[in-house]
Amino acid sequence: MTNSERRIALVTGASRGIGAAVAMRLAEDGMNVAINFRSEGSRAAAEELRAQIEERFGVEAMCVHGDVSGFESAKDMVAAVVERFGALHVLVNNAGITQDGLLMRMSEEQFERVVDTNLGGAFNCMRHAVPVMCKQRFGRIVNISSVVGVRGNAGQANYAASKAGIIGLTLAAAKEIGGRGVTVNAVAPGFIETDMTAALSEKATAALTDHIALKRLGQTEDVACAVAFLASEQAGYITGQVLGVDGGISL
């Protein structure tokens, strides 16, 4: 495959965790990848991932600095990818944060920051990517929701609201732009081994695992494989779906 024939993917929040695993998997599938990161502290990790992708898979990769919660920032990110590669075929909205706390003690800032980043960020990136994809008459949008957005979780009202909102955004967008050859789906991971779950105590992890049908936490690669399928040519007749990657915790 020549470079001009490759699909172009933008993965937000891709310097580590699920985002990094998704970027690696899409590159393995032959896509050129744009790796978004927000903080300067994540720049080195993003650059290291870019180098690994290019060395291992022979595709092109670029790092894109930007805060998805900013409308203009998201616009600049999409524009930078299109300027570099001439197109944008796949958007994976993965960037997200948590600021957990009980509802009765949660501040307005805690609620708004999580919703603005997780849900607002997905909207901002889609808003600027969709015109490009519709003009191409091809696109794959995969939004990272969460099992918490489906089931809720005590102490995570802000996070649950943002991830449930992503599902609603996914369904509405799928109906709006399906006729232009653009699919929109969501992946809802369960408890995945990332920096977030690493902070849990051994007792808490054991309690979680007990409620999972497969009796283990998921790996970032488990989520990446699901995203890669929904981003592929083979998933062209799948849209408006929420794919749980949760080991059966939602059963």
Side-chain angles (χ1 to χ4, degrees):
M1 180 184 296
T2 65
N3 196 53
S4 62
E5 296 173 325
R6 296 187 187 280
R7 297 297 189 190
I8 312 302
L10 168 60
V11 185
T12 68
S15 64
R16 59 190 176 90
I18 290 173
V22 168
M24 288 286 284
R25 178 54 195 266
L26 295 182
E28 184 177 358
D29 287 348
M31 296 188 195
N32 290 335
V33 180
I35 302 161
N36 162 249
F37 66 98
R38 179 177 62 87
S39 68
E40 284 300 325
S42 299
R43 183 180 291 275
E47 289 290 352
E48 181 179 351
L49 178 62
R50 179 196 60 75
Q52 289 179 3
I53 283 175
E54 292 188 338
E55 181 179 352
R56 290 183 59 182
F57 304 117
V59 301
E60 289 188 25
M62 67 179 291
C63 295
V64 187
H65 177 258
D67 184 347
V68 298
S69 68
F71 189 78
E72 291 300 320
S73 177
K75 180 180 180 180
D76 291 343
M77 285 166 42
V78 171
V81 175
V82 174
E83 180 179 4
R84 167 72 182 274
F85 293 115
L88 176 59
H89 303 102
V90 176
L91 170 65
V92 181
N93 284 307
N94 167 75
I97 62 171
T98 59
Q99 286 196 343
D100 297 346
L102 295 176
L103 180 63
M104 68 177 68
R105 298 173 186 163
M106 186 173 291
S107 68
E108 181 181 25
E109 191 277 334
Q110 281 179 295
F111 185 86
E112 289 184 347
R113 186 175 178 219
V114 170
V115 172
D116 287 350
T117 299
N118 299 0
L119 177 56
F123 164 77
N124 290 338
C125 292
M126 288 172 65
R127 169 62 181 80
H128 299 299
V130 162
V132 178
M133 293 179 172
C134 286
K135 186 177 180 179
Q136 297 168 167
R137 302 196 71 83
F138 179 91
R140 299 281 189 267
I141 298 173
V142 184
N143 296 321
I144 306 300
S145 181
S146 169
V147 66
V148 172
V150 178
R151 295 167 51 102
N153 196 37
Q156 290 191 304
N158 49 5
Y159 187 75
S162 70
K163 293 300 188 177
I166 283 176
I167 292 174
L169 177 63
T170 298
L171 301 180
K175 289 186 175 182
E176 282 190 24
I177 59 179
R180 300 295 185 91
V182 182
T183 65
V184 190
N185 293 288
V187 171
F191 291 94
I192 308 298
E193 287 191 17
T194 63
D195 292 345
M196 290 183 185
T197 56
L200 296 173
S201 67
E202 186 175 331
K203 182 178 180 181
T205 301
L208 281 174
T209 303
D210 190 53
H211 289 88
I212 299 172
L214 294 181
K215 301 304 178 186
R216 66 174 179 86
L217 298 186
Q219 303 298 311
T220 57
E221 291 77 13
D222 295 323
V223 182
C225 287
V227 172
F229 170 68
L230 292 174
S232 71
E233 301 284 349
Q234 290 75 22
Y237 202 60
I238 300 172
T239 196
Q241 302 302 306
V242 181
L243 176 58
V245 184
D246 60 14
I249 197 172
S250 56
L251 294 176

